[in-house]
Amino acid sequence: MARRTNASKGTEQLTQHAVDPPVAAFADQAPAAPGTMVALTWDGVGAALGAPTDVDRDMYAVDLDPDERLGLGRRITSAKILTDLLRWSGDIAAWLGRTPAAEVGKLVGFSVGHVRVAFAEGLRLRSMLARFEGRAAAAEVEQGGADVGVDRAAKAVRQDYDVLYTALEHATKRNAVLRGMVTTAYSKAVTPKPLAAAVALLVPLAREALRGKDARVAARLAHEHVTLELVAALELGGKALEVAGAQSARAVGGVTERDLDLQDGTCLTHMQWLYDFFGNLHDRDPSAPQLVANATRSFFAPHARGKASAPTSPADDAPKQPV
C-alpha cells in the first residue's frame, strides 16, 4: 500500500516544536505539581506526565493482533493522530496537576500509568514518522531513546573491558611478548560495533594469559580474581552487544509503510480508551477534560464512543509517499 502523502502527513507537528528528548529522559521526573502549567510540546507534556514503568507497559500493552491494528492504522494519517494525542495528553496532564490525588485514586477504570503508556506510544510514532520522512536529525535524537538499552549495555561492557584490560596490562609487565599483544589490542571504542570487536580481540589474550606457559602471570591474575568465567561473561556481553548494535543500526531510517500503520493502530487503541473514559467522566464532572477529536474526527465520530473498530468512513487521506 502506498503511504499517504507526507505533505499532509502532518509535518507541522514535527516542525513546530523542537526535537524532544527520548522517552527515557522522563523516567525520573515526577508529574506536574498542582497548579503547574503544562507546555503543549512533546517534552513539556512528557515531563508533566512522567514515564510509564515496566509494569505499566506490560499491563497496558495493546493485545490486538497485527491485522486489527493495521486495519485501524490505515484509516487515518499518523500526523493527525499525533496532533490530537499531544493535545489530549496535555489536557489530561493539566487536569492531573490540579486534581487531588485522592480524587484521582477513586476513579473507577482510570490509571495514570495507562495515560503514560499512551503518550509513550505517541512518542514512538513521532520518531517513526520522522524516520519514514527522512528527517535525519529527529531520528538520531529519538533513536537514542529507542536504543537506550543498547547504550546502557555498551557502557556496562566498556566498564568490564577496562577492568579486565587493566588487570592484564599490569600482570604482563614482565612478559614483553604478551604485554605487547595486550597493549596492541587496546581500544578506546565506546559504541556497540567497535567495542564488540575490541572485546573479541582482548578475550583470547586473557585466556592465553590464564592458561599459558607464564605461571607467574597466571598466578597473579588468579590471585586478583581474574577467572575464565569472568572472561567468558565479557565475551558473551560483547557478542550480545554486536547483535543489538546491528539491529539498532538497521532500525534507523528503516521504517516501512506497515510499521507506521501498526503503530498508528496501537496509538488509536490507546486513544479510544482515553476518548471513552474522559467522555464519560466529563458527562459527570464538567471540570474533567473534554477530549475533542479535531484532527481525528473521521475516526472518533461523536456517536462512535466505544466503537472505534467500526469504520465511520473510507480512508480519509490520499495515498502518501515518502518525501
Side-chain angles (χ1 to χ4, degrees), residues 9-89:
K9 182 88 173 138
T11 51
E12 78 282 352
Q13 194 63 35
L14 287 165
T15 57
Q16 83 177 51
H17 304 302
V19 174
D20 306 310
V23 179
F26 307 129
D28 298 322
Q29 299 186 26
T36 300
M37 182 175 291
V38 177
L40 194 59
T41 60
W42 289 95
D43 56 339
V45 175
L49 286 175
T53 64
D54 290 341
V55 172
D56 293 334
R57 291 179 185 277
D58 182 64
M59 184 171 294
Y60 297 111
V62 170
D63 56 4
L64 296 179
D65 66 51
D67 286 342
E68 290 180 278
R69 285 193 289 147
L70 284 170
L72 296 177
R74 286 171 177 164
R75 288 171 48 193
I76 193 166
T77 60
S78 303
K80 290 185 176 183
I81 293 169
L82 291 170
T83 297
D84 278 355
L85 181 54
L86 174 61
R87 185 167 48 81
W88 291 7
S89 299

Side-chain angles (χ1 to χ4, degrees), residues 41-222:
T41 60
W42 289 95
D43 56 339
V45 175
L49 286 175
T53 64
D54 290 341
V55 172
D56 293 334
R57 291 179 185 277
D58 182 64
M59 184 171 294
Y60 297 111
V62 170
D63 56 4
L64 296 179
D65 66 51
D67 286 342
E68 290 180 278
R69 285 193 289 147
L70 284 170
L72 296 177
R74 286 171 177 164
R75 288 171 48 193
I76 193 166
T77 60
S78 303
K80 290 185 176 183
I81 293 169
L82 291 170
T83 297
D84 278 355
L85 181 54
L86 174 61
R87 185 167 48 81
W88 291 7
S89 299
D91 289 346
I92 294 168
W95 169 73
L96 287 169
R98 65 177 180 264
T99 306
E103 291 185 20
V104 175
K106 294 177 183 178
L107 295 173
V108 176
F110 178 75
S111 165
V112 176
H114 197 166
V115 176
R116 290 169 174 165
V117 169
F119 184 78
E121 292 293 357
L123 276 176
R124 184 178 179 213
L125 175 59
R126 184 169 182 260
S127 169
M128 292 171 68
L129 179 57
R131 297 203 296 275
F132 184 80
E133 293 184 334
R135 297 174 179 274
E140 286 174 7
V141 173
E142 278 305 325
Q143 186 65 21
D147 295 336
V148 66
V150 177
D151 293 340
R152 289 174 179 166
K155 184 177 180 180
V157 170
R158 179 71 225 191
Q159 291 171 342
D160 292 343
Y161 174 93
D162 286 339
V163 169
L164 179 59
Y165 177 84
T166 300
L168 286 171
E169 181 190 23
H170 287 277
T172 58
K173 281 184 177 179
R174 297 186 183 182
N175 186 320
V177 174
L178 191 53
R179 171 71 182 278
M181 295 171 66
V182 169
T183 55
T184 300
Y186 180 73
S187 171
K188 294 181 179 179
V190 293
T191 53
K193 187 174 181 179
L195 180 54
V199 169
L201 285 176
L202 189 64
V203 161
L205 296 178
R207 288 199 173 110
E208 182 179 343
L210 284 166
R211 297 169 171 167
K213 298 178 180 179
D214 193 327
R216 185 184 181 92
V217 171
R220 172 165 173 165
L221 290 173

